[in-house]
Amino acid sequence: MGSVAALDEPLKKTLGGTTAKVLADHLGLHTVGDLLHHYPRRYAERGELTRLADLPLDEHVTVVAQVSDARVLRFNGGRGQRLEVTLTDGSGRLQLVFFGKGIHKPHKDLVPGRRAMFAGKVSVFNRKLQLTHPEYALLDQESGSEAVDAFAGALMPIYPACQQMASWKLAKAVDAVLPRAHEAVDPLPEALRAGRALVELPEALEKIHRPHTKADIADARARLKWDEAFVLQVALARRRFAETQLPAVPRPLTEGGILDAFDAALPFTLTEGQRKVSDEIFADLATDHPMHRLLQGEVGSGKTMVALRAMLTVVDGGGQAAMLAPTEVLAQQHHRSLREMMGELAEGGMLGGAEHGTKVVLLTGSMGVAARRQALLDLVTGEAGIVIGTHALIEDKVQFHDLGLVVVDEQHRFGVEQRDALRGKGHSQGEKRTPHLLVMTATPIPRTVAMTVFGDLETSVLDQLPAGRSPIATHVVPAKDKPHFLARAWERVREEVAAGHQGYVVCPRIGDEEDAPGTAKGGKGGAEAEPSPEDTEEKRPPLAVLDVVRQLTAGPLAGLRVAALHGRMAPEDKDAVMRRFAAGELDVLVATTVIEVGVNVPNATAMVIMDADRFGVSQLHQLRGRVGRGAAPGLCLLVSEMPEASPARARLAAVAATLDGFELSRIDLEQRREGDVLGRAQSGVRSSLRMLAVIEDEEVIAAAREEATAVVAADPSLDTYPELRTALAALLDDEREEYLDKG
């Protein structure tokens, strides 16, 4: 949780400059508080005492025995030396071996007749059982059974360490600062701590670093998880509370307006989920403080329809709605699909337009000057009720007549600053008014992550697919183990095209060597002692769009109409390719993940993802959602050269096994390091989650959110909780505070 008041003292005062520098440079630990919150990763147990006669091979044991013999042997022509010590406990004999410089201390300590405790892993050499470099503690004549039990039962903390600072050195550093733990300021309100039977903070710190029993560890963990969850949830609860204090223009449902005309013209009925989520949004829009809602929906669950109905409600109420899309391709596509959905209602003020209609305009960075000038004019006069655009919408010269709603598509693609800048454009009758905000994401987020990362947003979930969506079959294609499977994959693409359908081929890279080899998305982080097959595999550059297009047109897909699409093409070229594909003038599109969000071609039924192991689980799920959007079933083939036993193949098998995005997002988070959960933008908060596991600790997070909401409702400025304010200040330095403020 970061350092708090009394623990702000720099480590060099206690530990000396050299140690403090290593801790700061390699582990990011600067203060006493930082080190106290650097928790052990796990605990090694020396275990129960074992009789020498009963030693199990390959297991860690602790024995009490007497030294019967010790001798130094030389080998390697006298250059190497080893110490061999023979033990006996009356039931059997055991040999200890020490090598190199490690022999000096044991040679002095372990003289014949000495009794000691030894802990290590049993191995066999020359058909004799032995322990190599065991830990030991000497026992004097008075040492009774208590000393033996204490040694055998000790839980040894293993710390996240680095090459320059081993775990046992870290343990010594912690010993030096542990007495300061009693000065830790306790952020939990006393009533909450007592009500949940949590130990006090100094006791928790003592127990996490120097536990006597496993129960100590459990007590400490339970308490420290609560600290992290509660302080973070208080920060988010204060954000939510502050939102309710801002003024917004209510946009209640209007009878007989554009929304009613739109609903009446729909050729299908909305799903129950779409109706329920729309009602939640309409209720928010009718209040005089800004809506702040996250709309999660599986790929193809009809989020755009829900967002459009919200926008039409605002237009009915005299306001304007802006939809912010992450790419030009997506903005153009949204513009096309919204106009198609609205029909004549999107031609307000034009000849043949509907009486209730409004103008739906597009604003992107690459538009021509005349079109751009007209769009800006339509916005400032209020002629355009709906605008779809990229970050070009945020520029200073873009002015709205009365911006009432901001819809952000694919939240994770936008910086908070961009969202904030667009929301800053809201005003009504000359007064500053915060527009309502609807954030949409097709990346399913487990409930706990939504509560942690998007904790300042209310959440709505669309989990039903509209009628008419087809199932998608997913298979892993092991290209290296079974090359004929890959040949069959291309045959399947040809069969789909022959049946009148289209296909996608997705590659991790564009191909004019813009990436160094092995820097594909999904590359593994962290140093491994020994390269895994995956790391070795990653030395081959990821497959690239431009190369794959050449290979396919000259080989397995020769004769088909194949084109490339990637992010470095000029916007008009990208749009032209997408239009041709949507019109059925192309059979196969070879693309990067530029097609990941929002591309909607119902006739596309097949997708082949090359080097699928280079993509994350959620990303594969997003990509797969581009097929099976029409009446014909979809097919997704995940091509990988990874060996069958690798973790990468396990990830692909998980994607092939289920179409449930929420289930996959759980798998994704369990397989990634916890730190990635909050993403780079949330890095300030990320560094504070040391004990809390977002997936496992669902109950703690949910309970902490409830408690935090109650505390903030009763005392928004936390005047009665000075310790909590101190902890919040440590969690939220200026930069993080600003990040949450702009959320």
Side-chain angles (χ1 to χ4, degrees):
M1 275 199 4
S3 53
V4 285
L7 305 187
D8 274 342
E9 189 176 283
L11 282 170
K12 59 173 177 274
K13 275 187 127 174
T14 315
L15 302 177
T18 315
T19 306
K21 186 168 175 9
V22 172
L23 291 175
D25 291 352
H26 297 282
L27 294 168
L29 306 175
H30 302 276
T31 65
V32 169
D34 291 344
L35 184 52
L36 285 175
H37 290 294
H38 186 73
Y39 307 130
R41 194 176 57 223
R42 60 185 178 85
Y43 301 86
E45 292 180 74
R46 295 196 179 106
E48 296 298 306
L49 291 179
T50 312
R51 285 172 11 116
L52 294 188
D54 306 331
L55 288 178
L57 193 58
D58 277 342
E59 284 190 24
H60 286 277
V61 297
T62 300
V63 298
V64 171
Q66 193 164 18
V67 178
S68 67
D69 176 35
R71 58 206 172 119
V72 175
L73 302 172
R74 297 200 174 276
F75 58 94
N76 242 358
R79 287 194 300 279
Q81 51 182 2
R82 73 173 181 270
L83 170 66
E84 287 184 0
V85 178
T86 308
L87 305 180
T88 175
D89 69 349
S91 75
R93 295 168 81 76
L94 175 66
Q95 188 165 295
L96 313 179
V97 188
F98 300 87
F99 291 99
K101 292 191 177 133
I103 75 169
H104 302 312
K105 188 170 181 343
H107 192 209
K108 201 166 72 209
D109 290 343
L110 302 177
V111 295
R114 225 29 234 267
R115 228 170 119 258
M117 289 178 280
F118 303 88
K121 189 175 178 182
V122 182
S123 57
V124 69
F125 181 72
N126 278 348
R127 291 191 298 219
K128 281 190 196 155
L129 294 182
Q130 70 173 29
L131 301 182
T132 308
H133 282 279
E135 293 181 74
Y136 62 87
L138 301 174
L139 297 170
D140 54 34
Q141 304 309 316
E142 288 78 57
S143 294
S145 60
E146 286 158 21
V148 174
D149 290 347
F151 177 85
L155 292 160
M156 296 174 292
I158 308 294
Y159 287 92
C162 60
Q163 201 176 345
Q164 296 75 6
M165 178 73 66
S167 172
W168 64 270
K169 282 190 182 166
L170 266 163
K172 285 180 78 168
V174 169
D175 281 337
V177 300
L178 203 49
R180 306 292 297 278
H182 71 272
E183 299 172 53
V185 175
D186 197 328
L188 291 192
E190 179 54 35
L192 187 161
R193 192 189 63 70
R196 301 226 169 231
L198 298 167
V199 301
E200 293 189 5
L201 183 56
E203 184 185 339
L205 291 170
E206 182 77 39
K207 283 182 167 176
I208 200 76
H209 289 292
R210 298 297 172 261
H212 296 298
T213 62
K214 287 185 176 170
D216 284 353
I217 300 171
D219 286 350
R221 280 181 188 274
R223 164 61 214 245
L224 295 167
K225 281 179 178 182
W226 255 94
D227 279 19
E228 289 177 7
F230 181 70
V231 175
L232 181 56
Q233 291 301 335
V234 166
L236 294 167
R238 290 182 81 188
R239 284 282 315 110
R240 290 195 301 277
F241 181 83
E243 284 290 331
T244 65
Q245 306 307 299
L246 291 172
V249 178
R251 312 280 178 179
L253 284 169
T254 309
E255 278 191 28
I258 189 169
L259 177 65
D260 283 354
F262 174 76
D263 282 351
L266 276 180
F268 53 83
T269 54
L270 297 172
T271 65
E272 192 185 329
Q274 285 173 315
R275 289 197 171 283
K276 179 176 144 290
V277 169
S278 289
D279 288 346
E280 290 171 353
I281 291 170
F282 294 153
D284 283 356
L285 290 174
T287 62
D288 56 8
H289 56 80
M291 168 170 80
H292 213 53
R293 189 168 283 279
L294 173 70
L295 171 56
Q296 293 188 60
E298 279 285 17
V299 174
S301 57
K303 292 184 300 300
T304 311
M305 172 63 71
V306 169
L308 177 55
R309 295 182 78 230
M311 293 195 278
L312 296 178
T313 306
V314 170
V315 173
D316 274 341
Q320 293 167 293
M323 182 185 249
L324 196 55
T327 64
E328 295 217 354
V329 167
L330 199 49
Q332 286 160 343
Q333 184 156 325
H334 274 318
H335 182 241
R336 271 200 301 279
S337 63
L338 291 189
R339 288 181 58 119
E340 280 165 20
M341 286 156 86
M342 288 173 66
E344 59 177 20
L345 293 172
E347 293 165 0
M350 298 185 209
L351 211 58
E355 166 199 358
H356 289 301
T358 188
K359 247 187 179 178
V360 178
V361 301
L362 175 69
L363 188 66
T364 66
S366 64
M367 284 169 74
V369 177
R372 187 180 173 80
R373 190 179 295 131
Q374 184 59 52
L376 291 171
L377 190 64
D378 287 341
L379 287 181
V380 78
T381 59
E383 190 85 6
I386 295 176
V387 58
I388 293 102
T390 54
H391 52 268
L393 279 177
I394 294 162
E395 292 166 13
D396 288 345
K397 60 171 85 73
V398 179
Q399 297 297 322
F400 290 85
H401 175 64
D402 179 7
L403 180 60
L405 171 67
V406 174
V407 178
V408 179
D409 191 18
E410 287 306 318
Q411 145 75 18
H412 60 286
R413 304 285 177 106
F414 286 103
V416 175
E417 292 74 17
Q418 291 163 303
R419 231 167 63 180
D420 188 50
L422 189 52
R423 290 182 69 194
K425 292 181 180 289
H427 47 76
S428 182
Q429 285 91 45
E431 281 183 56
K432 195 87 174 151
R433 287 279 193 270
T434 307
H436 298 282
L437 175 71
L438 180 65
V439 172
M440 300 198 298
T441 176
T443 307
I445 305 163
R447 177 169 163 259
T448 45
V449 181
M451 283 193 292
T452 311
V453 185
F454 300 108
D456 55 337
L457 301 177
E458 299 301 327
T459 304
S460 296
V461 177
L462 271 178
D463 47 13
Q464 267 176 300
L465 290 188
R469 286 301 300 259
S470 303
I472 305 168
T474 309
H475 303 285
V476 179
V477 178
K480 211 167 199 168
D481 309 348
K482 299 176 179 168
H484 59 285
F485 274 39
L486 183 56
R488 176 71 188 119
W490 300 125
E491 279 173 27
R492 283 292 291 113
V493 173
R494 294 192 80 101
E495 285 165 16
E496 290 296 313
V497 172
H501 299 301
Q502 292 159 282
Y504 297 101
V505 177
V506 183
C507 306
R509 210 164 54 101
I510 296 174
D512 41 11
E513 297 318 308
E514 85 291 351
D515 289 330
T519 55
K521 280 188 180 176
K524 264 57 74 196
E528 293 290 328
E530 201 171 326
S532 67
E534 297 187 42
D535 293 333
T536 314
E537 177 60 33
E538 289 221 329
K539 293 203 169 54
R540 166 173 77 64
L543 290 170
V545 169
L546 302 177
D547 303 337
V548 170
V549 167
R550 283 194 292 272
Q551 290 160 13
L552 292 179
T553 48
L557 301 187
L560 299 188
R561 299 168 299 172
V562 180
L565 179 73
H566 56 75
R568 226 171 305 122
M569 290 163 68
E572 56 274 20
D573 295 345
K574 276 192 283 198
D575 200 41
V577 170
M578 272 315 302
R579 279 175 192 275
R580 286 176 62 208
F581 189 65
E585 294 164 19
L586 294 171
D587 299 318
V588 178
L589 199 57
V590 182
T592 53
T593 53
V594 72
I595 63 155
E596 179 186 348
V597 265
V599 173
N600 185 16
V601 179
N603 191 45
T605 54
M607 176 177 284
V608 180
I609 303 179
M610 308 304 290
D611 279 346
D613 45 88
R614 311 273 178 138
F615 299 97
V617 168
S618 294
Q619 202 173 22
L620 290 170
H621 182 60
Q622 287 284 310
L623 287 165
R624 168 172 65 183
R626 302 295 121 216
V627 294
R629 298 176 79 86
L635 171 69
C636 179
L637 301 173
L638 307 174
V639 179
S640 171
E641 294 190 357
M642 285 298 166
E644 194 167 358
S646 62
R649 278 284 289 278
R651 280 203 308 274
L652 298 183
V655 175
T658 178
L659 289 170
D660 180 341
F662 286 91
E663 175 57 27
L664 286 174
S665 65
R666 284 190 81 94
I667 292 168
D668 197 15
L669 287 172
E670 281 160 6
Q671 290 182 341
R672 288 191 292 161
R673 289 194 316 284
E674 191 69 43
D676 296 341
V677 168
L678 305 186
R680 201 174 305 140
Q682 203 86 349
S683 59
V685 176
R686 179 182 72 197
S687 60
S688 66
L689 293 192
R690 298 182 183 171
M691 186 58 75
L692 200 66
V694 173
I695 289 289
E696 292 160 31
D697 296 321
E698 184 163 343
E699 285 172 21
V700 176
I701 293 169
R705 181 180 165 111
E706 235 169 81
E707 295 270 14
T709 306
V711 163
V712 171
D715 180 3
S717 55
L718 305 179
D719 291 332
T720 50
Y721 301 106
E723 297 84 2
L724 180 53
R725 290 177 68 165
T726 304
L728 264 182
L731 173 73
L732 303 173
D733 57 27
D734 294 345
E735 184 188 336
R736 299 174 199 164
E737 182 76 84
E738 187 183 350
Y739 178 85
L740 280 173
D741 269 344
K742 288 182 175 175

Tab-separated table of all heavy atoms in Angstrom, residues 353-371:
chain	number	residue	atom	x	y	z
A	353	GLY	N	-35.922	13.184	-45.915
A	353	GLY	CA	-35.615	12.732	-44.550
A	353	GLY	C	-36.884	12.692	-43.715
A	353	GLY	O	-37.891	13.322	-44.038
A	354	ALA	N	-36.833	11.950	-42.605
A	354	ALA	CA	-38.015	11.836	-41.744
A	354	ALA	C	-38.226	13.127	-40.960
A	354	ALA	O	-37.282	13.853	-40.658
A	354	ALA	CB	-37.821	10.670	-40.782
A	355	GLU	N	-39.482	13.346	-40.615
A	355	GLU	CA	-39.853	14.566	-39.873
A	355	GLU	C	-39.086	14.646	-38.539
A	355	GLU	O	-38.646	15.698	-38.107
A	355	GLU	CB	-41.380	14.513	-39.656
A	355	GLU	CG	-41.910	15.477	-38.639
A	355	GLU	CD	-43.300	15.056	-38.136
A	355	GLU	OE1	-43.862	14.031	-38.614
A	355	GLU	OE2	-43.793	15.771	-37.269
A	356	HIS	N	-38.938	13.481	-37.867
A	356	HIS	CA	-38.250	13.479	-36.571
A	356	HIS	C	-36.735	13.343	-36.707
A	356	HIS	O	-36.047	13.252	-35.707
A	356	HIS	CB	-38.705	12.276	-35.732
A	356	HIS	CG	-40.092	12.406	-35.229
A	356	HIS	ND1	-40.489	13.448	-34.422
A	356	HIS	CD2	-41.179	11.616	-35.407
A	356	HIS	CE1	-41.772	13.294	-34.131
A	356	HIS	NE2	-42.216	12.197	-34.720
A	357	GLY	N	-36.229	13.259	-37.926
A	357	GLY	CA	-34.832	12.849	-38.118
A	357	GLY	C	-33.810	13.825	-37.567
A	357	GLY	O	-34.111	14.935	-37.133
A	358	THR	N	-32.569	13.371	-37.590
A	358	THR	CA	-31.446	14.228	-37.204
A	358	THR	C	-30.300	13.916	-38.149
A	358	THR	O	-30.359	12.944	-38.903
A	358	THR	CB	-31.027	13.967	-35.738
A	358	THR	OG1	-30.058	14.940	-35.364
A	358	THR	CG2	-30.421	12.577	-35.557
A	359	LYS	N	-29.277	14.745	-38.127
A	359	LYS	CA	-28.121	14.474	-38.977
A	359	LYS	C	-27.127	13.608	-38.208
A	359	LYS	O	-26.883	13.847	-37.015
A	359	LYS	CB	-27.448	15.795	-39.356
A	359	LYS	CG	-27.545	16.142	-40.831
A	359	LYS	CD	-26.697	17.377	-41.127
A	359	LYS	CE	-26.772	17.711	-42.603
A	359	LYS	NZ	-26.005	18.908	-42.931
A	360	VAL	N	-26.539	12.620	-38.895
A	360	VAL	CA	-25.502	11.785	-38.289
A	360	VAL	C	-24.215	12.072	-39.048
A	360	VAL	O	-24.111	11.765	-40.237
A	360	VAL	CB	-25.859	10.283	-38.407
A	360	VAL	CG1	-24.757	9.426	-37.808
A	360	VAL	CG2	-27.190	10.007	-37.713
A	361	VAL	N	-23.249	12.731	-38.401
A	361	VAL	CA	-22.037	13.128	-39.127
A	361	VAL	C	-20.812	12.364	-38.638
A	361	VAL	O	-20.789	11.831	-37.530
A	361	VAL	CB	-21.769	14.661	-39.040
A	361	VAL	CG1	-22.928	15.447	-39.594
A	361	VAL	CG2	-21.446	15.075	-37.617
A	362	LEU	N	-19.798	12.349	-39.527
A	362	LEU	CA	-18.530	11.671	-39.231
A	362	LEU	C	-17.449	12.742	-39.137
A	362	LEU	O	-17.446	13.693	-39.914
A	362	LEU	CB	-18.197	10.700	-40.380
A	362	LEU	CG	-16.853	9.974	-40.317
A	362	LEU	CD1	-16.850	8.954	-39.181
A	362	LEU	CD2	-16.576	9.258	-41.642
A	363	LEU	N	-16.544	12.593	-38.169
A	363	LEU	CA	-15.427	13.539	-38.067
A	363	LEU	C	-14.141	12.768	-37.772
A	363	LEU	O	-13.995	12.185	-36.693
A	363	LEU	CB	-15.694	14.553	-36.947
A	363	LEU	CG	-14.704	15.719	-36.859
A	363	LEU	CD1	-14.797	16.615	-38.084
A	363	LEU	CD2	-14.951	16.544	-35.604
A	364	THR	N	-13.237	12.715	-38.763
A	364	THR	CA	-11.953	12.029	-38.547
A	364	THR	C	-10.832	12.931	-39.043
A	364	THR	O	-11.073	13.895	-39.767
A	364	THR	CB	-11.877	10.690	-39.315
A	364	THR	OG1	-11.893	10.978	-40.713
A	364	THR	CG2	-13.036	9.769	-38.982
A	365	GLY	N	-9.606	12.580	-38.671
A	365	GLY	CA	-8.456	13.419	-39.006
A	365	GLY	C	-8.159	13.485	-40.487
A	365	GLY	O	-7.552	14.450	-40.966
A	366	SER	N	-8.580	12.482	-41.259
A	366	SER	CA	-8.158	12.444	-42.662
A	366	SER	C	-9.220	12.977	-43.625
A	366	SER	O	-9.092	12.841	-44.828
A	366	SER	CB	-7.822	11.000	-43.037
A	366	SER	OG	-8.986	10.221	-42.954
A	367	MET	N	-10.307	13.573	-43.075
A	367	MET	CA	-11.366	14.081	-43.954
A	367	MET	C	-10.880	15.282	-44.766
A	367	MET	O	-9.997	16.018	-44.334
A	367	MET	CB	-12.564	14.544	-43.106
A	367	MET	CG	-13.396	13.400	-42.579
A	367	MET	SD	-14.585	13.977	-41.358
A	367	MET	CE	-15.787	14.796	-42.382
A	368	GLY	N	-11.477	15.474	-45.905
A	368	GLY	CA	-11.164	16.650	-46.730
A	368	GLY	C	-11.609	17.924	-46.022
A	368	GLY	O	-12.482	17.893	-45.150
A	369	VAL	N	-11.034	19.051	-46.423
A	369	VAL	CA	-11.294	20.324	-45.742
A	369	VAL	C	-12.774	20.701	-45.796
A	369	VAL	O	-13.373	21.082	-44.784
A	369	VAL	CB	-10.438	21.454	-46.374
A	369	VAL	CG1	-10.753	22.803	-45.737
A	369	VAL	CG2	-8.958	21.133	-46.200
A	370	ALA	N	-13.408	20.569	-46.983
A	370	ALA	CA	-14.809	20.993	-47.127
A	370	ALA	C	-15.726	20.136	-46.257
A	370	ALA	O	-16.594	20.656	-45.540
A	370	ALA	CB	-15.223	20.901	-48.598
A	371	ALA	N	-15.520	18.817	-46.305
A	371	ALA	CA	-16.375	17.907	-45.517
A	371	ALA	C	-16.190	18.177	-44.026
A	371	ALA	O	-17.150	18.165	-43.249
A	371	ALA	CB	-16.015	16.453	-45.839
